[in-house]
Amino acid sequence: MQYLFNLHKKYMITIYHNPRCGKSRECLAFLENSDEAFEVIKYLEKPLTFNELSTLIKKLNLKPIEVVRTKESIWISNFKGKDLSDEQIVNAMVEYPILMERPIAVKGNKAVIARPFDKVKSIL
């Protein structure tokens, strides 16, 4: 389910959110208390496609491996220690969305992994 708040703003922030993650909840609370328009995408319920995730990674200006939660058990048991291409890493996150760092906030062509949550200020 997607939520839209404060739609009067011209450039809306999109937050890729996992409600079970404390850091993600902190970022969402920050946005709720701001004057910014935002949309919440629960990416575990509606996983990103390969193209969507690739575009997001480009906006982050990071390598795919830098967006992976490498301490997740799925990563450790299936991918750790393997020589993977960027495409294979993105495919792993598409197949297992839990591997994607969170929260990620996007505004226009700028994106940031909002850990800690106040990093979202850099795209406001």
Side-chain angles (χ1 to χ4, degrees):
M1 177 182 287
Q2 296 181 2
Y3 300 93
L4 301 176
F5 297 93
N6 303 323
L7 293 179
H8 63 280
K9 291 284 189 172
K10 184 176 178 182
Y11 298 106
M12 185 169 25
I13 293 174
T14 300
I15 176 175
Y16 293 89
H17 174 61
N18 177 350
R20 297 184 71 160
C21 172
K23 300 291 184 193
S24 195
R25 290 191 307 269
E26 286 177 359
C27 185
L28 182 58
F30 173 80
L31 290 173
E32 287 171 340
N33 291 313
S34 76
D35 252 356
E36 296 293 323
F38 65 94
E39 171 186 28
V40 176
I41 306 233
K42 294 181 181 179
Y43 66 92
L44 294 178
E45 293 176 11
K46 185 183 182 287
L48 282 71
T49 66
F50 182 90
N51 288 338
E52 290 169 333
L53 187 52
S54 295
T55 299
L56 180 59
I57 292 168
K58 285 179 187 167
K59 287 181 181 184
L60 287 164
N61 197 28
L62 296 173
K63 295 179 181 181
I65 192 63
E66 295 174 295
V67 183
V68 173
R69 296 177 54 81
T70 57
K71 294 182 181 175
E72 284 288 336
S73 60
I74 291 171
W75 180 263
I76 292 167
S77 62
N78 293 304
F79 305 104
K80 185 178 179 180
K82 294 184 179 177
D83 186 22
L84 302 171
S85 68
D86 287 349
E87 183 177 323
Q88 289 171 313
I89 293 168
V90 173
N91 276 324
M93 287 187 283
V94 169
E95 185 174 352
Y96 302 103
I98 194 74
L99 293 177
M100 189 173 89
E101 276 289 1
R102 64 200 181 239
I104 296 176
V106 180
K107 185 174 185 181
N109 287 322
K110 296 180 185 177
V112 65
I113 298 173
R115 296 176 74 91
F117 74 88
D118 60 349
K119 281 189 171 183
V120 76
K121 292 177 186 175
S122 69
I123 64 168
L124 299 182

